[in-house]
């Protein structure tokens, strides 16, 4: 007990601050989810998900951004409950915003392995949340602790995807949709920064390159020196399914170069580039870039924090929902 007499006042203040932060984090996480939820009931669950993501990524790097987007699209519809994983006509998976998502086989693979040793314990919603984190890890991003304890939802309707942010959306509309889910403007810029990995199809942005808004020319926010490169990749009336990196020069690296591209007028999606042209979001882009005169933000750290907030949107816990036997079908 005598040891405690030697703790300085500064250290005591630090300890108290950490305890207060821990309490705040617990409140943010919501009811029922916590880090290490499966530590006794299925201690290998997280390591199985991580090794499965890594294995699939080695043979197909596109699964990393696919899983990250999938988790985002899941959480914004019915909450983070794995409803996007359900097969069948009229389900979320069949809705236009989700038809090009990839990585479902990774979730199915991890679930099969986990069910073999811990049947009926680990939810598909939790597997997806963990896989999203591990997708950042395999693309050289920072890791974070994922609170688990979600249960799987019992509803999956394509019609419910209308509240997903779109690629032509104004910043005001994006902010409103994020706010509805308890996410602020910094969370918006941070989470959209996940576009630092992955690609988009030409069909979602080629309209910016030619007759933008019937002006006869390109979107003026596009860097003029970048325009020929984009037009070569996506010629007028060309193959709309062709994929182009969302973060030019850094497609498989989870870093803040995405924000540098926005500053340079090299954002691929219209909704992304608007983060630089709108003052309310531009300040956060600038802070991630560490511009002089502004309090800097470390993208990797803030991304983990915002992901934890997002991953607890409208979660089902306790007696709500179910633990699916397979992720693509209700029990």
């Amino acid at each position: 007990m005598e040891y405690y007499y030697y703790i300085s006042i500064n250290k005591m203040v630090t300890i108290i601050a950490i305890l207060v932060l821990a309490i705040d984090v617990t409140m943010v996480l919501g009811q029922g989810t916590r880090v290490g939820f499966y530590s006794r009931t299925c201690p290998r669950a997280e390591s199985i998900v991580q090794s499965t993501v890594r294995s699939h990524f080695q043979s197909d790097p596109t699964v990393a951004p696919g899983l990250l987007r999938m988790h985002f699209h899941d959480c914004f519809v019915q909450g983070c409950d794995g409803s996007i994983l359900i097969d069948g006509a009229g389900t979320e998976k069949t809705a236009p915003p989700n038809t090009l998502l990839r990585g479902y086989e990774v979730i199915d693979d991890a679930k099969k392995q986990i069910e073999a040793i811990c049947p009926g314990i680990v939810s598909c919603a939790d597997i997806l949340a963990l896989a999203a984190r591990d997708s950042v890890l395999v693309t050289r991003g920072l890791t974070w602790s994922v609170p688990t304890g979600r249960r799987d939802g019992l509803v999956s309707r394509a019609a419910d995807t209308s509240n997903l942010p779109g690629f032509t959306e104004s910043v005001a509309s994006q902010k409103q949709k994020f706010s509805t889910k308890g996410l602020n403007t910094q969370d918006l810029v941070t989470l959209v920064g996940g576009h630092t990995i992955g690609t988009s199809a030409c069909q979602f942005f080629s309209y910016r390159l030619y007759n933008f808004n019937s002006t006869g020319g390109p979107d003026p926010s596009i860097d003029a020196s970048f325009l020929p490169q984009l037009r070569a990749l996506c010629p007028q009336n060309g193959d709309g399914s062709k994929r182009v990196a969302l973060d030019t020069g850094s497609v498989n690296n989870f870093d803040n170069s995405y924000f540098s591209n926005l500053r340079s007028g090299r954002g691929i999606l219209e909704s992304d580039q608007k983060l630089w042209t709108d003052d309310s979001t531009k300040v956060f882009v600038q802070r991630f870039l560490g511009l002089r005169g502004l309090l800097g933000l470390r993208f990797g750290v803030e991304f983990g924090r915002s992901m934890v907030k997002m991953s607890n949107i409208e979660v089902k816990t306790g007696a709500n929902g179910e633990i699916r036997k397979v992720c693509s079908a209700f029990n």
Side-chain angles (χ1 to χ4, degrees):
M1 293 295 291
E2 291 182 356
Y3 167 78
Y4 292 98
Y5 290 112
Y6 295 95
I7 297 179
S8 68
I9 296 298
N10 286 339
K11 287 185 177 179
M12 286 298 294
V13 171
T14 300
I15 291 171
I16 291 171
I18 291 172
L19 290 174
V20 171
L21 177 61
I23 292 171
D24 288 344
V25 168
T26 300
M27 293 175 68
V28 168
L29 297 187
Q31 298 179 349
T33 61
R34 59 180 172 81
V35 174
F37 184 85
Y38 299 111
S39 59
R40 292 186 178 181
T41 55
C42 193
R44 289 182 54 201
E46 293 200 22
S47 63
I48 288 174
V49 174
Q50 188 170 120
S51 63
T52 303
V53 170
R54 190 173 300 278
S55 175
H56 282 265
F57 175 77
Q58 288 172 349
S59 58
D60 180 9
T62 66
V63 301
L67 291 166
L68 191 57
R69 314 266 195 279
M70 191 188 301
H71 183 44
F72 178 93
H73 285 214
D74 182 45
C75 290
F76 265 66
V77 182
Q78 299 287 345
C80 308
D81 65 352
S83 52
I84 198 170
L85 304 171
I86 297 296
D87 284 338
T91 61
E92 289 176 37
K93 187 184 289 190
T94 67
N98 297 330
T99 53
L100 295 180
L101 288 177
R102 60 193 69 195
Y104 293 104
E105 71 280 5
V106 182
I107 304 302
D108 292 339
D109 187 0
K111 176 65 170 175
K112 183 177 180 179
Q113 294 179 58
I114 291 172
E115 283 294 300
I117 59 172
C118 309
I121 299 296
V122 181
S123 70
C124 299
D126 277 342
I127 291 173
L128 180 52
L130 291 166
R133 185 270 311 275
D134 296 333
S135 294
V136 172
L137 188 59
V138 297
T139 50
R140 304 181 183 88
L142 298 180
T143 189
W144 64 90
S145 297
V146 176
T148 46
R150 301 165 191 78
R151 289 172 67 85
D152 298 318
L154 299 171
V155 175
S156 182
R157 293 186 295 254
D160 294 334
T161 64
S162 60
N163 66 331
L164 283 168
F167 57 91
T168 63
E169 203 122 9
S170 68
V171 167
S173 180
Q174 292 181 66
K175 287 166 63 175
Q176 189 276 327
K177 288 183 176 182
F178 273 70
S179 178
T180 298
K181 301 300 181 181
L183 301 170
N184 59 32
T185 303
Q186 179 177 321
D187 294 319
L188 162 62
V189 177
T190 304
L191 292 170
V192 174
H195 286 169
T196 183
I197 57 174
T199 61
S200 176
C202 288
Q203 61 184 298
F204 298 122
F205 67 90
S206 59
Y207 67 92
R208 300 180 65 208
L209 311 181
Y210 301 99
N211 187 26
F212 181 67
N213 287 346
S214 301
T215 60
D219 183 341
S221 67
I222 299 175
D223 173 27
S225 65
F226 187 45
L227 186 60
Q229 181 179 337
L230 289 180
R231 283 178 167 173
L233 292 168
C234 300
Q236 197 165 19
N237 301 317
D239 181 4
S241 65
K242 186 175 181 180
R243 311 292 300 188
V244 174
L246 285 166
D247 184 4
T248 303
S250 186
V251 64
N252 285 323
N253 288 321
F254 201 93
D255 53 32
N256 73 342
S257 67
Y258 165 81
F259 298 109
S260 296
N261 279 323
L262 295 187
R263 177 178 55 180
S264 301
R266 296 188 168 214
I268 301 300
L269 301 179
E270 181 183 355
S271 56
D272 284 12
Q273 190 59 51
K274 285 175 178 175
L275 299 181
W276 179 256
T277 56
D278 185 282
D279 288 341
S280 68
T281 48
K282 180 178 181 178
V283 65
F284 292 106
V285 177
Q286 292 173 317
R287 290 177 70 184
F288 282 131
L289 292 172
L291 299 186
R292 185 174 299 175
L294 292 169
L295 179 63
L297 291 170
R298 191 178 179 191
F299 174 52
V301 172
E302 297 305 323
F303 190 81
R305 290 174 178 169
S306 291
M307 284 291 284
V308 169
K309 287 179 65 176
M310 186 193 75
S311 72
N312 279 280
I313 293 173
E314 302 165 20
V315 295
K316 282 81 175 170
T317 59
N320 294 325
E322 65 180 8
I323 305 296
R324 290 184 208 140
K325 296 175 182 177
V326 294
C327 292
S328 58
F330 301 122
N331 290 345

